[in-house]
Amino acid sequence: MVEFELNLPEGLVGPKRCNCSICRRKGAVMAYVPLSCLRILRGAEHLKLYQFNSGVAKHYFCVNCGIYTHHQTRSHPTVYGFNEGWW
């Protein structure tokens, strides 16, 4: 089990769907927070990193159930995008 803590002082701001090839297939709706606002509380050992193309963006998923949890994009490396449908 993977458990996160999110600090969302303004709530969910600007959720959207990414149009990259991997996110389109996942169908995830994402919201974004500064890196300091997402903290893994437990289960980090169940998260795996997937990188494609340039290898800069970091996409994380659970190895047990396969769900996409969060990512760090190449274009905005100071924030995490998280799958709000998972929360």
Side-chain angles (χ1 to χ4, degrees), residues 7-79:
N7 180 5
L8 301 170
E10 298 177 28
L12 293 175
V13 178
K16 62 182 175 181
R17 291 191 186 272
C18 177
N19 65 356
C20 82
S21 60
I22 191 170
C23 290
R24 279 194 316 251
R25 284 181 288 211
K26 292 183 289 197
V29 176
M30 294 161 293
Y32 294 87
V33 295
L35 296 179
S36 63
C37 290
L38 186 150
R39 189 168 63 107
I40 301 169
L41 300 177
R42 69 179 181 182
E45 69 276 11
H46 300 292
L47 291 176
K48 290 295 180 185
L49 172 64
Y50 175 73
Q51 293 176 288
F52 63 103
N53 197 13
S54 68
V56 176
K58 299 173 184 175
H59 297 263
Y60 296 91
F61 65 95
C62 176
V63 296
N64 295 320
C65 67
I67 196 161
Y68 151 71
T69 56
H70 67 293
H71 72 273
Q72 188 176 11
T73 67
R74 179 181 53 182
S75 58
H76 299 289
T78 61
V79 299

